[in-house]
Each structure stands twice: as structure tokens, then as C-alpha cells.
Amino acid sequence: MRSTSFCSHRVSIITGHYGTGKTEFAVNLALAMAAEGQRVMVADLDIVNPYFRSRERRDTLAQAGVQLISSSQACADADVPSLPAELLTIFENRDLRGILDIGGDPVGARVLARFRPKILAEDYQLIYVLNAHRPEVREAENAIAYLRGIEAATGLPCTGIVNNTHLCGETTAADIRKGAVLAAEVSRQTGIPVLCHVAVERLANQLSDLPETVFPITIQMKKPWE
């Protein structure tokens, strides 16, 4: 069983630059929590990425007992999309673990602004997913600037970094180690801890020497043409 002890807060807000794999992480985190016997609700609030959305794995999540809610498709091009009333359940039902998968730019992150008072009153964490192979964030200075932009848009401080460095099916252990170096530098400069390193199961055993948790995943998100 995959441990989710590195992610102990009741509400986890997952964000990051487009292409970092934050939705893959969010879906795998939800499935791992459900496997531990926890009641989990995922809110798909990503209006930025047209391809990789949690809602595309609705059946997989449902089979694991994970409830999924999503923003209105009809308002996908709006700055602030229509948010489902069920989203309040995450804040009101203390028996649930909530995972919010939000867009990775200021427009996408803005969907949380109206819920800021409720979130601040919660046991929450804002997780920044980092992929050292994304050109826009492969340098620590740029990664930090993007992180600060998300904080400004949400009005929430980032509390954890997840290294999800990958090259899709071409990912090697060396790629993940490259990401670990970047994550460590971002952590050093910001004081925000690295929570874990994400790796597909076949690579996880090769990374056991890393000081932080290695979180093994199975690829759930597929491109539309796959």
C-alpha cells in the first residue's frame, strides 16, 4: 500500500505550472488515500488544461470509492467558472479528505479566492508541483516567481513542494533526481519543505536514498489520442 503520511492535512490544494503533472499526482493521491480506507472527495477545478483533468478518470475514482466534483463545463472560458455547490461539502464534512485540483496559472488559481476564508479556517496545505523539465520553471528563480504568482492569485501561502519531474514514458531515475536538486534549491530559498518525489513504480526502488518520501504512482492520465 502506498503511504500518504507526507500529506497529512485534511484539505490538499494541488497546483503547479501547466504540464507539471499535478492532476496525475492529485488522482494518484486520491486513490492512495482511498486504499488506506479514507473517505476522499476530489474537486476538479482546473479550467486551464484542456487535456489532463481529474474528471477524465471519473470511473476509476468512483470504483475506488472517491467522489468527484467538477466546475461547470459551460463556463470553462470564464475567468471565474461556475463552481459546484458540492464543493462546500469538502469544507463542511470533517469526515472527508478533500483534494482540490486547480489550474496552474493565476486565472485558474483565482477560482479559490472566494473560498479563502473557509480554507484559512481549515487544516489545509497548498502544494506546488514542480517538474524540472518544464522550460518555464526549470530554474529555481523562475519556479519561485511562478509559485509566488499562485500565492498572490489564491491569497494562500504555499506549504509544500512535490517533485514530479518527468518526461512521460521516457522518464528515468536521473530525471527525478534532477528534479530533486531543483526542489531542494526552491525549498532552500523559500523555506517551503519538499514533501515527496513522485515516481512510477518501476523507478521508485531506485530512489530510496533520497531524503524525502518517494511516492510511487501508476499512470492514470492519458492524452486524448492514446
Side-chain angles (χ1 to χ4, degrees), residues 117-160:
K118 287 185 176 293
I119 293 171
L120 288 174
E122 279 293 341
D123 173 29
Y124 85 96
Q125 58 186 353
L126 178 66
I127 296 174
Y128 180 59
V129 178
L130 191 59
N131 180 352
H133 286 310
R134 293 299 301 169
E136 300 87 349
V137 293
R138 63 187 175 193
E139 303 295 336
E141 180 180 0
N142 294 339
I144 293 170
Y146 206 87
L147 183 157
R148 297 308 187 198
I150 291 172
E151 289 181 324
T154 60
L156 302 170
C158 177
T159 60

Side-chain angles (χ1 to χ4, degrees), residues 2-222:
R2 296 177 290 177
S3 172
T4 63
S5 59
F6 63 89
C7 190
S8 59
H9 298 269
R10 195 181 75 79
V11 175
S12 298
I13 303 167
I14 315 298
T15 189
H17 194 277
Y18 170 81
T20 54
K22 63 183 182 56
T23 295
E24 186 72 75
F25 172 69
V27 169
N28 272 274
L29 181 62
L31 293 173
M33 286 180 174
E36 292 174 337
Q38 303 182 60
R39 293 181 60 197
V40 186
M41 176 179 281
V42 174
D44 178 0
L45 305 179
D46 189 349
I47 63 168
V48 177
N49 191 334
Y51 297 126
F52 301 109
R53 290 174 171 173
S54 304
R55 66 183 70 124
E56 304 301 331
R57 288 297 171 265
R58 184 181 298 274
D59 291 344
T60 300
L61 291 167
Q63 289 171 9
V66 177
Q67 185 176 352
L68 175 69
I69 57 177
S70 60
S71 56
S72 170
Q73 294 276 19
C75 300
D77 295 325
D79 274 1
V80 181
S82 173
L83 297 178
E86 296 95 328
L87 182 57
L88 290 174
T89 304
I90 287 179
F91 303 117
E92 295 172 352
N93 188 341
R94 296 296 189 275
D95 294 328
L96 286 173
R97 296 294 301 276
I99 298 175
L100 280 59
D101 179 11
I102 69 172
D105 72 352
V107 171
R110 201 176 301 151
V111 301
L112 288 184
R114 74 186 71 174
F115 291 103
R116 182 174 179 271
K118 287 185 176 293
I119 293 171
L120 288 174
E122 279 293 341
D123 173 29
Y124 85 96
Q125 58 186 353
L126 178 66
I127 296 174
Y128 180 59
V129 178
L130 191 59
N131 180 352
H133 286 310
R134 293 299 301 169
E136 300 87 349
V137 293
R138 63 187 175 193
E139 303 295 336
E141 180 180 0
N142 294 339
I144 293 170
Y146 206 87
L147 183 157
R148 297 308 187 198
I150 291 172
E151 289 181 324
T154 60
L156 302 170
C158 177
T159 60
I161 298 166
V162 165
N163 168 32
N164 189 29
T165 298
H166 66 89
L167 286 170
C168 297
E170 303 301 316
T171 307
T172 65
D175 293 314
I176 299 168
R177 291 182 185 280
K178 175 182 177 180
V181 172
L182 175 62
E185 181 59 21
V186 172
S187 177
R188 186 188 69 80
Q189 293 190 36
T190 63
I192 301 169
V194 177
L195 300 180
C196 72
H197 306 280
V198 178
V200 292
E201 291 181 342
R202 65 180 176 82
L203 298 177
N205 290 338
Q206 301 177 41
L207 301 165
S208 58
D209 60 303
L210 291 176
E212 298 85 12
T213 297
V214 176
F215 181 58
I217 66 167
T218 56
I219 300 300
Q220 301 291 336
M221 309 307 297
K222 304 291 186 181

